[in-house]
Amino acid sequence: MSSKDFQERLYGEKPANYALLDAGGGKKLERFGNIVTIRPEVQAYFQSAHPFSKWNEMADLEFHDKGSQKGFWKKRNEQTPDQWTFEVEQLSIELRLTKFKHLGVFPEQFSNWEFIRQQLTPGDSFLNLFAYTGMASLVARSCGAEVTHVDSVKQLISWSKHNMELSGLDNIRWIAEDAVKFVLRATKRGTLYQGIVLDPPAFGLGVKGEKWILDQHLDALLEACSKILAPNGFLILNTYSPKVNLEFIRQLANKHFRGRSLEVKELWLRSDTDRDLFFGQVLRVN
């Protein structure tokens, strides 16, 4: 691997009660609080440090694919709950066993949450697009920011509200809407945000079944976001798509955020067994 490859990598920090224990063989072994999981991971194409027999001894849960999009969880310990509370700094969220292998948090985003903490001050306006279960919204609200949380899936907004209550927070503005439509309306209103975070899926459907394909829509989305970002504000983009690489993101960032400080990196985590795992790309505009 060249020195340039390493320079383009951002090795993320991890929450204190999360561990990437090992990875390899198309899977990753993780600990969320006291619960250890095994999940499929296409980026873990290398050999794991420990044999799967050892993983099986450690794990409470394992996700099994059933088709290309969904699957099921198998409990190795019947006492393992279907949901449990996970602590991140002073915040609490509920993790749940979903049929899409996700649990409700992406620990690799911890360094971005810390970046948000460094940037926001009380009263700042903050926009979280494609907001999922709201971890970035909680971080921003805990800083005293005025938070707008946008996601097209109403069930995820309900989950996010529950997380807000678990964390002892309040007064987050919830919007169940297609993120692109929301941003376009905000540009017409002249609304400006001190911070914007967007974590768009590679593929997806909007509230009314609109098709979302990241590489086809990212240019227009970033252009719209550039119009609602305050002059001294910041933006974080996370992507995880085989068709969106660093050079493509860099070109769009230079096009829409000319004159700003730009950081475009691959996001990686290192396991406790020194296995490096790729988690997509990150753009930070400041």
Side-chain angles (χ1 to χ4, degrees):
M1 182 179 297
S2 69
S3 59
K4 182 176 182 293
D5 292 330
F6 275 113
Q7 290 171 2
E8 292 186 333
R9 290 187 176 190
L10 171 64
Y11 280 89
E13 300 175 39
K14 297 186 279 288
N17 63 340
Y18 166 82
L20 179 60
L21 300 170
D22 196 7
K27 301 179 182 182
K28 56 186 175 182
L29 181 70
E30 301 166 282
R31 178 179 56 78
F32 296 86
N34 296 321
I35 294 180
V36 176
T37 67
I38 299 173
R39 293 191 288 172
E41 177 51 67
V42 66
Q43 294 295 337
Y45 49 81
F46 40 80
Q47 184 174 346
S48 61
H50 300 303
F52 284 163
S53 58
K54 183 172 181 178
W55 286 28
N56 293 337
E57 292 174 1
M58 299 170 64
D60 301 290
L61 297 160
E62 181 172 5
F63 186 87
H64 295 266
D65 286 317
K66 189 178 182 181
S68 59
Q69 298 296 325
K70 300 179 182 179
F72 63 94
W73 288 92
K74 181 178 179 181
K75 293 184 178 182
R76 300 185 183 281
N77 179 352
E78 290 303 320
Q79 303 303 313
T80 303
D82 290 337
Q83 56 270 326
W84 66 98
T85 301
F86 181 68
E87 308 289 339
V88 179
E89 300 295 331
Q90 287 77 45
L91 302 173
S92 301
I93 62 173
E94 184 175 85
L95 302 190
R96 302 175 184 176
L97 305 182
T98 74
K99 58 186 176 182
F100 303 105
K101 83 176 181 181
H102 300 304
L103 294 168
V105 68
F106 295 108
E108 67 273 10
Q109 295 301 318
F110 182 74
S111 58
N112 281 330
W113 302 333
E114 292 301 292
F115 184 82
I116 292 170
R117 290 185 195 276
Q118 295 166 8
Q119 300 296 320
L120 288 176
T121 57
D124 285 345
S125 57
F126 177 83
L127 176 61
N128 189 9
L129 299 169
F130 308 94
Y132 192 47
T133 59
M135 192 65 221
S137 298
L138 302 184
V139 170
R141 187 69 187 123
S142 71
C143 296
E146 300 299 323
V147 177
T148 300
H149 172 114
V150 181
D151 199 285
S152 64
V153 181
K154 292 183 178 179
Q155 296 93 324
L156 288 177
I157 288 182
S158 296
W159 191 347
S160 300
K161 287 181 179 178
H162 180 62
N163 289 338
M164 178 186 70
E165 293 165 357
L166 279 178
S167 295
L169 299 171
D170 59 10
N171 293 331
I172 291 176
R173 181 188 180 206
W174 310 101
I175 306 291
E177 187 178 9
D178 176 80
V180 176
K181 289 182 178 179
F182 177 88
V183 172
L184 291 176
R185 285 196 296 106
T187 62
K188 294 178 180 179
R189 294 194 304 267
T191 305
L192 294 180
Y193 294 92
Q194 187 66 27
I196 302 174
V197 169
L198 53 158
D199 195 355
F203 307 97
L205 295 174
V207 175
K208 298 182 179 179
E210 310 95 322
K211 282 189 177 181
W212 165 268
I213 302 176
L214 179 61
D215 58 294
Q216 297 178 11
H217 292 85
L218 187 57
D219 188 359
L221 177 60
L222 288 180
E223 179 182 14
C225 285
S226 71
K227 295 176 180 178
I228 63 172
L229 182 64
N232 62 339
F234 70 93
L235 177 143
I236 302 172
L237 166 71
N238 300 291
T239 70
Y240 193 92
S241 169
K243 294 185 178 181
V244 177
N245 57 30
L246 288 184
E247 185 54 34
F248 180 60
I249 295 172
R250 194 173 286 117
Q251 289 175 2
L252 294 182
N254 286 321
K255 176 182 177 182
H256 298 302
F257 302 100
R258 187 174 291 113
R260 299 265 192 155
S261 172
L262 303 176
E263 181 181 22
V264 184
K265 294 280 183 87
E266 293 180 343
L267 181 60
W268 292 73
L269 289 186
R270 179 162 290 168
S271 75
D272 291 356
T273 53
D274 291 327
R275 296 302 192 262
D276 288 351
L277 198 56
F278 172 68
F279 282 93
Q281 295 87 12
V282 175
L283 163 66
R284 291 176 180 170
V285 179
N286 205 355

